[in-house]
Amino acid sequence: MAKADSNDSPQSSAQVAREVARLILTGVWREGTTLPREIELASRFDVSRASIREALSLLKAKGLIVSRQKAGTHVRSRIDWNMLDEELLNWTLSELPTQEFAQQLLEIRRIVEPEACAICAVRGSDEDFARIERAYRGMDAAGLDRLAYAEPDLQFHRGILIATGNDFLIAFGATVAAALRMSFNLSTQNPGAPRKSLPYHRAVLDAIWARNPDRARQAMIKLMDLTEQNIILALSRQRKKDAEEDNARTRRAR
Amino acid sequence: MAKADSNDSPQSSAQVAREVARLILTGVWREGTTLPREIELASRFDVSRASIREALSLLKAKGLIVSRQKAGTHVRSRIDWNMLDEELLNWTLSELPTQEFAQQLLEIRRIVEPEACAICAVRGSDEDFARIERAYRGMDAAGLDRLAYAEPDLQFHRGILIATGNDFLIAFGATVAAALRMSFNLSTQNPGAPRKSLPYHRAVLDAIWARNPDRARQAMIKLMDLTEQNIILALSRQRKKDAEEDNARTRRAR
DNA sequence: TGAAAAAATATGTCTGACATAATAACTCTT
DNA sequence: AAGAGTTATTATGTCAGACATATTTTTTCA
């Protein structure tokens, strides 16, 4: 219920935006729903109409809602939501971290990242590669510290996308960031998982330095395979744990 | 200078957002630049500070800018821009339709759409396929009318993405929409091009109905090849035309 | 019955004020 | 003169109430 988010943003308009987004993402306000009028939202959230409008402006930009004079503000259909937006991804991750969401995230990473990696191997500059290698070293240095491992891990993947020089692949970094965040959250169920991925990252790095696109692609595919296994394992352990807790609650209730 | 856009949006805040986005995208306000203060922007665009704030709120949501109290509003670095956002794509398309942009767009479509097509063939429902087929029929019915061809063409590609059931692939529809819009703009240089793509779409449709992922992937790759050829041809013709106009201007100036 | 006119209403915009947080300036001490 | 602590300063953040505008809904009248 609480923020449970590393983000600060004490801005009231940002908080409103997040809360409205939550209501939409969790389906309380379904597609096509007309939102309450601005003045009603203002009184409900106890902020001014101006803040409400700024919040809605943010959500409009992400494709969640659309508004017309007199007609009101409506929730747009899902296909118009810009799910590749970083904030939207993070909100979904903290509100509805379903298995389906995890699988979809894996699926698209598997489509994009191996190809990006191949392009990176061909087109990246030595400076690009050096930056990726620095990230690799950071991961190595982190040892078994999951938190310290996370940041260079993201830099590693981002570095590959950046090296492609393709603005759209670079923008895909937001999606990768969300996926890694999810993996990090799940790694409580499997603390050793991050470290195990290190040699796979090494293989990617070597293939890139060798400027061998096919090897780079294959190495990235293997890394994706490992990631998928780890996530499936973590999810099943979590489900098991949740079920046990459920049982315990049921017993207590009797 | 004028709007030159099919979009209506007479909203002043939307206009301001677009203009500020233009200044950022075209590099007038580079990465790291501090924007003028809100009251200055308000007087420059001759709107109230509230409208400025709503406009900036929109751009914040797209990752273009970030603002902190007292410190001001800054242009974020390019890697934070959400280039997969539909509006941002359309703005870039109308302000900076460079060859590089076109190639990047082609590159990412080539990565995503063939795989999406393969997934669609496996996972799509018959209703999904029927919707895609309706789009195909619409394209056929449009004949040589480029404008009438454009809408069902988009529905065809969107239909495939939707049929995958993957929210991220669905969100990628915004990028495809921008790419098709670009193709449409360029097709003045090559009016027959759209119609020529019809049999390639047919091949995709057949492969999907056959639920054959490999054939579907291959058919989509061929469609991408054709699209690429058309765009390269159109771009070279346009460059040639632009050069001739330039010559003409120079001669007149003498 | 149906088209034109009037009313109602939710978003869009403007104004001016105050709150807040981060920076810049200025103390004062050592 | 250097540095730590305090006090302005300033740009964004928020609030309040009013009016403008565009649709929809209702009413009126031919």
Side-chain angles (χ1 to χ4, degrees), chain B residues 197-212:
Chain B
S197 73
L198 194 64
Y200 290 83
H201 284 85
R202 174 86 235 178
V204 169
L205 183 61
D206 289 342
I208 287 173
W209 272 120
R211 294 201 171 277
N212 185 330

Side-chain angles (χ1 to χ4, degrees), chain B residues 3 5 13-23 91 94-95:
Chain B
K3 299 215 307 189
D5 204 5
S13 73
Q15 280 181 300
V16 170
R18 218 209 128 136
E19 178 61 12
V20 172
R22 190 184 72 77
L23 289 167
W91 292 338
S94 56
E95 301 301 340

Side-chain angles (χ1 to χ4, degrees), chain B residues 92-166:
Chain B
T92 305
L93 206 55
S94 56
E95 301 301 340
L96 274 180
T98 63
Q99 188 176 356
E100 195 188 358
F101 179 73
Q103 278 167 347
Q104 292 185 0
L105 220 36
L106 282 167
E107 185 168 73
I108 194 160
R109 279 190 74 185
R110 197 183 211 97
I111 291 171
V112 174
E113 288 197 73
E115 289 311 312
C117 197
I119 294 170
C120 163
V122 174
R123 215 143 68 197
S125 69
D126 285 358
E127 301 94 81
D128 288 328
F129 295 174
R131 206 172 45 239
I132 296 167
E133 175 148 8
R134 266 201 305 283
Y136 172 79
R137 293 231 180 89
M139 293 166 74
D140 194 7
L144 286 166
D145 182 345
R146 293 186 302 121
L147 188 58
Y149 193 91
E151 179 58 26
D153 192 2
L154 175 57
Q155 292 311 320
F156 185 94
H157 290 273
R158 265 222 148 94
I160 289 169
L161 296 173
I162 291 171
T164 64
N166 183 313

Side-chain angles (χ1 to χ4, degrees), chain B residues 67-80:
Chain B
S67 49
R68 277 172 28 243
Q69 276 182 216
K70 165 75 182 180
T73 303
H74 299 265
V75 178
R76 294 178 72 178
S77 88
R78 281 184 80 86
I79 68 165
D80 294 317

Side-chain angles (χ1 to χ4, degrees), chain B residues 77-89:
Chain B
S77 88
R78 281 184 80 86
I79 68 165
D80 294 317
W81 299 358
N82 186 2
M83 287 308 296
L84 296 164
D85 175 88
E86 185 151 19
E87 275 178 299
L88 218 42
L89 278 162

Side-chain angles (χ1 to χ4, degrees), chain A residues 88-197:
Chain A
L88 217 43
L89 279 161
N90 283 334
W91 292 338
T92 305
L93 206 56
S94 56
E95 301 300 340
L96 274 180
T98 63
Q99 189 176 355
E100 197 188 356
F101 180 72
Q103 278 167 347
Q104 291 184 1
L105 220 37
L106 282 167
E107 186 168 73
I108 194 157
R109 280 190 74 184
R110 199 185 207 88
I111 291 172
V112 174
E113 288 197 70
E115 289 310 312
C117 197
I119 294 171
C120 164
V122 174
R123 216 143 67 197
S125 68
D126 285 357
E127 299 93 82
D128 288 329
F129 295 174
R131 206 173 45 237
I132 297 167
E133 175 148 7
R134 264 201 305 282
Y136 172 80
R137 294 230 179 91
M139 294 166 75
D140 193 9
L144 285 167
D145 181 345
R146 294 187 300 119
L147 188 59
Y149 193 90
E151 178 57 26
D153 192 2
L154 175 57
Q155 292 310 321
F156 185 93
H157 290 274
R158 266 222 148 96
I160 289 168
L161 295 173
I162 291 171
T164 64
N166 183 312
D167 289 341
F168 306 107
L169 288 172
I170 292 172
F172 186 74
T175 308
V176 175
L180 291 179
R181 198 192 187 88
M182 179 182 69
S183 292
F184 175 77
N185 291 344
L186 285 170
S187 65
T188 50
Q189 305 298 323
N190 188 6
R195 182 75 190 178
K196 279 189 206 130
S197 72

Side-chain angles (χ1 to χ4, degrees), chain A:
Chain A
M1 197 104 290
K3 299 216 306 186
D5 206 2
S6 63
N7 214 330
D8 29 67
S9 74
Q11 264 55 344
S12 80
S13 74
Q15 280 181 301
V16 170
R18 218 209 129 137
E19 179 60 13
V20 173
R22 190 184 71 78
L23 289 167
I24 294 174
L25 291 171
T26 59
V28 176
W29 290 341
R30 293 174 200 290
E31 305 173 38
T33 303
T34 304
L35 300 208
R37 303 199 320 264
E38 290 177 351
I39 40 172
E40 286 173 20
L41 289 172
S43 76
R44 180 191 305 196
F45 293 117
D46 199 35
V47 296
S48 73
R49 211 182 133 218
S51 296
I52 294 291
R53 284 187 62 78
E54 279 185 35
L56 296 185
S57 176
L58 199 107
L59 300 181
K60 270 179 223 173
K62 299 189 186 305
L64 288 185
I65 58 175
V66 60
S67 50
R68 276 173 29 242
Q69 277 183 216
K70 165 76 182 179
T73 303
H74 299 265
V75 178
R76 294 179 73 178
S77 88
R78 282 185 78 86
I79 68 164
D80 293 318
W81 300 356
N82 185 3
M83 287 308 295
L84 297 164
D85 175 89
E86 185 151 20
E87 273 178 301
L88 217 43
L89 279 161
N90 283 334
W91 292 338
T92 305
L93 206 56
S94 56
E95 301 300 340
L96 274 180
T98 63
Q99 189 176 355
E100 197 188 356
F101 180 72
Q103 278 167 347
Q104 291 184 1
L105 220 37
L106 282 167
E107 186 168 73
I108 194 157
R109 280 190 74 184
R110 199 185 207 88
I111 291 172
V112 174
E113 288 197 70
E115 289 310 312
C117 197
I119 294 171
C120 164
V122 174
R123 216 143 67 197
S125 68
D126 285 357
E127 299 93 82
D128 288 329
F129 295 174
R131 206 173 45 237
I132 297 167
E133 175 148 7
R134 264 201 305 282
Y136 172 80
R137 294 230 179 91
M139 294 166 75
D140 193 9
L144 285 167
D145 181 345
R146 294 187 300 119
L147 188 59
Y149 193 90
E151 178 57 26
D153 192 2
L154 175 57
Q155 292 310 321
F156 185 93
H157 290 274
R158 266 222 148 96
I160 289 168
L161 295 173
I162 291 171
T164 64
N166 183 312
D167 289 341
F168 306 107
L169 288 172
I170 292 172
F172 186 74
T175 308
V176 175
L180 291 179
R181 198 192 187 88
M182 179 182 69
S183 292
F184 175 77
N185 291 344
L186 285 170
S187 65
T188 50
Q189 305 298 323
N190 188 6
R195 182 75 190 178
K196 279 189 206 130
S197 72
L198 194 64
Y200 290 82
H201 284 85
R202 173 86 234 180
V204 169
L205 183 61
D206 289 342
I208 287 173
W209 272 121
R211 295 202 171 275
N212 185 330
D214 292 326
R215 236 176 78 204
R217 185 187 296 108
Q218 286 307 316
M220 183 57 88
I221 289 175
K222 282 190 181 151
L223 178 52
M224 294 289 110
D225 283 341
L226 178 73
T227 304
E228 183 163 2
Q229 284 170 25
N230 282 336
I231 286 182
I232 289 173
L233 178 65
L235 279 171
S236 75
R237 283 193 188 166
Q238 193 167 51
R239 268 201 307 281
K240 197 174 154 192
K241 210 185 75 181
D242 289 351
E244 277 166 8
E245 278 169 8
D246 228 48
N247 277 341
R249 244 199 315 284
T250 311
R251 268 198 302 280
R252 266 203 308 281
R254 263 196 314 229

